[in-house]
Structure formats: C-alpha cells, structure tokens
Amino acid sequence: MDETACAHIEAISEVKQAERLECEECVKIGARWVHLRTCQECGATLCCDDSPNRHATKHARASGHPVIASAQPGERWLSCYPDDAFATY
Ligand SMILES: [Zn+2]
Ligand SMILES: [Zn+2]
Ligand SMILES: [Zn+2]
C-alpha cells in the first residue's frame, strides 16, 4: 500500500475480488455499465461513476461501506469514498 492510503484501506489485508464480472444492480434493471468496482465491505460488484447508474457510489452512500476495489481485469487499486484516498496493491 502506498502512503496516500487511509486507515480504511490500510485495514484491508486481503482484497475482495469480483465473483462475477457484472454489475448486480444493472443486471436487475437491464442497464449497461462501463467499469466495475467491488465493495470491500460486503463484496458487492457494482458499476463505476462513468456508468449511467453509478451503482458503486450509490451503494457506498447508502450503506456507509467506504472502500472499493477496481474489478477491471489487470487493474489493482483501492479507493476510499469518505477519505478520497487511493492506493495500488
Ligand atoms: Zn478511508
Ligand atoms: Zn450498475
Ligand atoms: Zn458494500
């Protein structure tokens, strides 16, 4: 973890990976997404802010789960919403 990581990110010892490469909320409503993020609190995989429905951000606000990981193949980073922190791993 690099020095910009916050306490939430530093508390993560093992990064949760996406179980399925799809936004579980978009699938329910037949919407499209751009990129995927996985919640590090509950493991939900949801769509990014470039996607029309921004489910990952909505989930973080509604649930208070702070940290997401990119679920894009080849991307290895974590981001914390309340601290606006970012770390690669
Ligand atoms: Zn944080
Ligand atoms: Zn979505
Ligand atoms: Zn969550």
Side-chain angles (χ1 to χ4, degrees):
M1 298 300 171
D2 65 41
E3 59 213 318
T4 60
C6 65
H8 301 109
I9 289 176
E10 282 170 2
I12 293 169
S13 54
E14 193 171 336
V15 175
K16 284 187 174 67
Q17 303 293 332
E19 287 177 21
R20 293 146 66 96
L21 285 180
E22 57 187 30
C23 171
E24 56 191 60
E25 294 299 325
C26 283
V27 165
K28 285 181 199 165
I29 59 174
R32 289 168 178 269
W33 59 85
V34 179
H35 292 134
L36 295 170
R37 310 291 181 236
T38 299
C39 175
Q40 294 301 295
E41 196 79 26
C42 67
T45 295
L46 298 161
C47 55
C48 71
D49 281 355
D50 293 329
S51 308
N53 291 291
R54 301 182 177 188
H55 283 125
T57 296
K58 282 182 187 162
H59 172 78
R61 287 217 186 101
S63 66
H65 296 167
V67 181
I68 52 163
S70 175
Q72 295 304 116
E75 289 188 6
R76 293 171 62 85
W77 55 259
L78 298 160
S79 177
C80 175
Y81 283 102
D83 294 310
D84 198 20
F86 180 88
T88 54
Y89 65 92

